[in-house]
Amino acid sequence: MLEKIRLENVLFIDIETVPEHENYFQLDHETQDLFAQKTAYQRKGEIEAEDFYDRAGIWAEFGKIVCISAGFFTFRNDVRHFRVTSFFGEEEKILRDFSNLLNNHFGQPQHILCGHNAKEFDIPYIARRMIINGVPLPGKLNLFGKKPWEVPHLDTMELWKFGDYKSFTSLKLLTKILGIPSPKDDIDGSEVAHVYYIAKDIDRIVTYCEKDVVATAQILLRFRREELLVDDEVVHV
């Protein structure tokens, strides 16, 4: 089935998120209470909410997107390239620019979004932040009323599960066992907030996000038993 999908019709995506504010005390008191309630199960009463705020970026209600990277294949005269681009800066602009990409270039019925754990994290996070920021949902993210087989999303982690819904396999682990260069050779997700707020190095975050997009594309190639991308085939635009 995967072999029947035209690679040119797949848009590979990844996002990087951080807490909406640099520290817990920048939240108003009501939001502090709501954050404490939201995270009570994860904290199990052993950690104060203020000490847990560095993880707030994983929830769309308390975090924000600082980068969306996207990649797609092109084939010309039997030459394969994988083009990667990123949207970063102010969140509303990130979301509007990404929405424009979907509406204008990847909005046709044959187009598919693909990410690693994207169905559980990236895609719902983007959709929720669009609603919060007043950005209209593009068709590829508006899933209301759609049947499961009508949803134009592909998830490499879901593919790896083969129906085993108890399993979570990280991108780092899957690339390792499939012989794909690791995208986690600099920072990992737990360090993004520090790099953003303390080091103020958005370029480093963009590079990290783009590596995840390339790695996800490589995984799909391995599932299809096709040659992996080499450096010369990856084009940053």
Side-chain angles (χ1 to χ4, degrees):
M1 183 65 179
L2 285 179
E3 289 78 5
K4 295 182 179 180
I5 297 174
R6 291 176 61 89
L7 287 175
E8 304 98 307
N9 291 334
V10 182
L11 183 69
F12 297 85
I13 64 169
D14 188 64
I15 68 173
E16 298 305 329
T17 66
V18 299
E20 190 163 15
H21 299 283
E22 185 171 354
N23 66 72
Y24 174 81
F25 297 103
Q26 291 176 289
L27 304 176
D28 60 56
H29 291 303
E30 183 180 12
T31 305
Q32 288 180 0
D33 290 341
L34 290 168
F35 179 74
Q37 294 171 30
K38 179 76 172 181
T39 61
Y41 177 77
Q42 287 84 1
R43 293 184 291 110
K44 301 183 186 302
E46 300 171 3
I47 305 173
E48 295 296 326
E50 64 191 74
D51 298 321
F52 202 73
Y53 187 67
D54 61 337
R55 306 185 198 181
I58 66 174
W59 291 284
E61 299 87 350
F62 301 101
K64 66 179 180 181
I65 295 171
V66 296
C67 180
I68 300 177
S69 293
F72 56 95
F73 284 94
T74 62
F75 296 88
R76 292 183 181 176
N77 300 322
D78 294 327
V79 177
R80 180 181 70 172
H81 284 108
F82 187 72
R83 300 183 179 275
V84 187
T85 191
S86 293
F87 307 100
F88 55 95
E90 190 269 328
E91 187 185 40
E92 183 179 341
K93 186 176 187 305
I94 292 173
L95 296 170
R96 290 192 182 279
D97 288 346
F98 182 66
S99 179
N100 288 336
L101 175 67
L102 295 186
N103 287 329
N104 297 326
H105 300 285
F106 283 90
Q108 297 303 312
Q110 70 270 23
H111 291 143
I112 300 171
L113 301 184
C114 180
H116 190 78
N117 198 31
K119 288 186 177 182
E120 288 290 328
F121 184 72
D122 304 69
I123 291 171
Y125 202 113
I126 292 170
R128 290 165 183 160
R129 293 307 298 178
M130 282 184 171
I131 292 173
I132 290 170
N133 282 274
V135 177
L137 286 178
K140 292 298 179 185
L141 299 184
N142 191 348
L143 307 183
F144 180 76
K146 290 184 179 178
K147 298 177 177 60
W149 56 87
E150 297 174 331
V151 175
H153 302 159
L154 193 62
D155 193 317
T156 51
M157 190 175 81
E158 185 179 83
L159 292 173
W160 182 250
K161 285 180 176 181
F162 290 96
D164 179 7
Y165 292 100
K166 304 182 298 298
S167 174
F168 175 90
T169 306
S170 69
L171 186 63
K172 184 176 183 178
L173 174 56
L174 195 51
T175 53
K176 173 64 176 178
I177 61 177
L178 294 180
I180 296 167
S182 174
K184 313 296 185 183
D185 57 356
D186 179 22
I187 59 175
D188 61 35
S190 66
E191 299 171 287
V192 170
H194 177 87
V195 174
Y196 181 78
Y197 281 118
I198 307 302
K200 301 187 185 303
D201 192 348
I202 187 63
D203 290 341
R204 191 176 174 195
I205 295 172
V206 170
T207 297
Y208 168 67
C209 195
E210 291 185 351
K211 286 180 178 179
D212 279 359
V213 168
V214 174
T216 303
Q218 298 277 50
I219 289 171
L220 189 62
L221 289 175
R222 288 283 276 119
F223 285 166
R224 290 162 57 103
R225 302 182 308 281
E226 297 184 22
E227 292 293 325
L228 294 180
L229 292 162
V230 296
D231 290 344
D232 288 346
E233 292 179 298
V234 178
V235 181
H236 297 268
V237 296

